[in-house]
Amino acid sequence: MRTEFLRSVQSAVRRSNYASSTRNFSSSASNPERKVTVLGAAGGIGQPLSMLMKLNPLVSTLSLYDLAGTPGVAADCSHINTRAQVSGYMEDKDLAKALEGSDVVIIPAGVPRKPGMTRDDLFNINAGIVKNLCQHVAKHCPNALVNMISNPVNSTVPIASEVFKEAGTYDPKRLFGVTTLDVVRAKTFYATKTGLSVEEVNVPVVGGHAGITILPLFSQAFPQANLGEDDIVALTKRTQDGGTEVVEAKAGKGSATLSMAYAGAIFADACLKGLNGVPDVVECSFVESNVTELPFFASKVRLGVNGVEEIHGLGSMSDYEKEGLAKLIPELKSSIQKGIDFAHKN
């Protein structure tokens, strides 16, 4: 039964493109050595994310760090019969060992959203955590690809960029805000509404990673379906409010931890494939960009051996999407500046 279950999980994983490296490499033995570090590994996102990275055949070393509980998470993950060797770290003095030699650093550290919590509330707690961790990243693994999950991403990515600039290690090609969950939601909601197979659906999501800054481009969805404007508006709003939907459904007992871990694992897998030279790896991500007037923006990004290899433009947009873009710019601009200001003042 356990073997059948594992096979079913692996089959689902392949269909979702996660760990699709099995289609590009004959076996884990042919894959390069890659170290992935998860900062915040014992949290609600960190634990399932750590497990999913343990399942990824591209990971040879999995390093887990958090303020508490990490040895248990590491021990648990280490029993899974896959390639990656797992180590757990729990004290500040161990951060250097956790980070050294990392190819990809994933940061889900911080507190999750709770009912009634504003983005400002979240910022006030998580901004300092992110800044501290990024200072260690700059010191111990300056060439790693950094996947920022800690919210609010619209502000924490700019914080990270300023920390790296101050340390003299900033490479815009190696810093990513993980917006994959917005894409995952848009695909799911679109497929459900249209009756299409979710495995075949693709929907680009641009902008930022909070509220109205999330802009799914359903006009560019594939395959195309004949949806009315009311349907598009409803799908857009549901995608934008997806996090709130889960927070309210969990009634104060958590946020979108499982779907975020899944999305984080998909994006980390894409980064690893890019590093390994797999061609045409494209995901949406919040990166330094000149696609708009803003210094950071989420759009399709082609990943490669240097991180960002190409940033795609927005393409053709509907009038509704153009209106959404105009509305999100001021809010996203404010969030970005808030992160930059925090990095300089604290």
Side-chain angles (χ1 to χ4, degrees):
M1 183 178 294
R2 182 175 299 177
T3 301
E4 291 175 0
F5 173 73
L6 181 57
R7 285 174 181 164
S8 69
V9 170
Q10 290 172 335
S11 176
V13 155
R14 290 191 200 98
R15 289 196 303 271
S16 70
N17 290 327
Y18 170 64
S20 61
S21 51
T22 52
R23 295 196 298 268
N24 299 296
F25 298 93
S26 59
S27 70
S28 62
S30 66
N31 294 331
E33 298 288 308
R34 294 295 182 193
K35 179 178 178 179
V36 173
T37 298
V38 181
L39 302 180
I45 296 170
Q47 290 198 42
L49 175 59
S50 297
M51 183 188 72
L52 290 170
M53 296 317 298
K54 180 69 169 79
L55 293 175
N56 191 315
L58 300 183
V59 181
S60 57
T61 301
L62 182 60
S63 177
L64 308 180
Y65 173 83
D66 212 323
L67 294 176
T70 332
V73 177
D76 202 356
C77 284
S78 72
H79 291 184
I80 297 171
N81 59 324
T82 55
R83 177 192 186 197
Q85 298 298 304
V86 185
S87 298
Y89 305 94
M90 200 169 66
E91 299 180 20
D92 277 350
K93 66 181 179 63
D94 291 330
L95 257 175
K97 190 180 296 185
L99 289 167
E100 285 171 354
S102 297
D103 295 290
V104 177
V105 176
I106 313 172
I107 308 180
V111 300
R113 280 181 63 199
K114 297 179 181 178
M117 181 179 279
T118 66
R119 294 282 170 181
D120 283 342
D121 295 332
L122 205 59
F123 177 88
N124 292 335
I125 300 170
N126 288 351
I129 295 171
V130 166
K131 183 176 182 181
N132 175 61
L133 291 174
C134 286
Q135 288 169 336
H136 287 278
V137 170
K139 184 176 181 180
H140 301 296
C141 54
N143 295 319
L145 302 189
V146 177
N147 293 185
M148 184 66 68
I149 290 175
S150 302
N151 274 316
V153 165
N154 293 351
S155 298
T156 55
V157 169
I159 289 172
S161 73
E162 295 304 307
V163 170
F164 297 151
K165 286 175 186 176
E166 184 177 350
T169 64
Y170 182 53
D171 182 349
K173 294 182 178 182
R174 296 179 177 272
L175 175 61
F176 304 88
V178 180
T179 61
T180 314
L181 181 52
D182 302 323
V183 177
V184 166
R185 286 173 173 151
K187 288 179 178 180
T188 301
F189 302 156
Y190 179 79
T192 300
K193 184 65 180 178
T194 60
L196 293 166
S197 171
V198 71
E199 291 89 354
E200 298 173 0
V201 163
N202 194 21
V203 182
V205 181
V206 303
H209 186 56
I212 67 164
T213 71
I214 300 168
L215 183 60
L217 302 181
F218 289 110
S219 69
Q220 297 179 23
F222 179 85
Q224 267 295 304
N226 187 24
L227 294 177
E229 184 175 345
D230 288 347
D231 290 330
I232 296 297
V233 171
L235 286 171
T236 299
K237 182 168 177 54
R238 191 178 180 199
T239 303
Q240 292 172 336
D241 295 341
T244 300
E245 180 180 319
V246 176
V247 168
E248 291 178 350
K250 289 189 175 182
K253 295 183 179 179
S255 60
T257 51
L258 301 177
S259 52
M260 183 64 248
Y262 169 77
I266 288 175
F267 189 76
D269 180 69
C271 287
L272 290 165
K273 286 190 286 188
L275 286 174
N276 289 351
V278 177
D280 302 321
V281 179
V282 177
E283 293 287 344
C284 292
S285 183
F286 186 66
V287 297
E288 183 175 307
S289 169
N290 59 9
V291 167
T292 68
E293 65 194 70
L294 301 177
F296 294 92
F297 199 81
S299 64
K300 287 183 180 178
V301 173
R302 181 168 61 83
L303 302 166
V305 295
N306 298 306
V308 175
E309 297 291 348
E310 179 186 7
I311 298 174
H312 293 210
L314 297 179
S316 177
M317 300 169 65
S318 69
D319 289 342
Y320 174 71
E321 290 162 355
K322 290 176 183 176
E323 291 174 9
L325 178 63
K327 290 177 181 177
L328 76 81
I329 293 288
E331 182 163 331
L332 184 52
K333 181 178 181 179
S334 175
S335 296
I336 292 169
Q337 191 60 49
K338 186 172 185 176
I340 293 171
D341 291 344
F342 176 88
H344 286 239
K345 294 176 182 176
N346 294 272

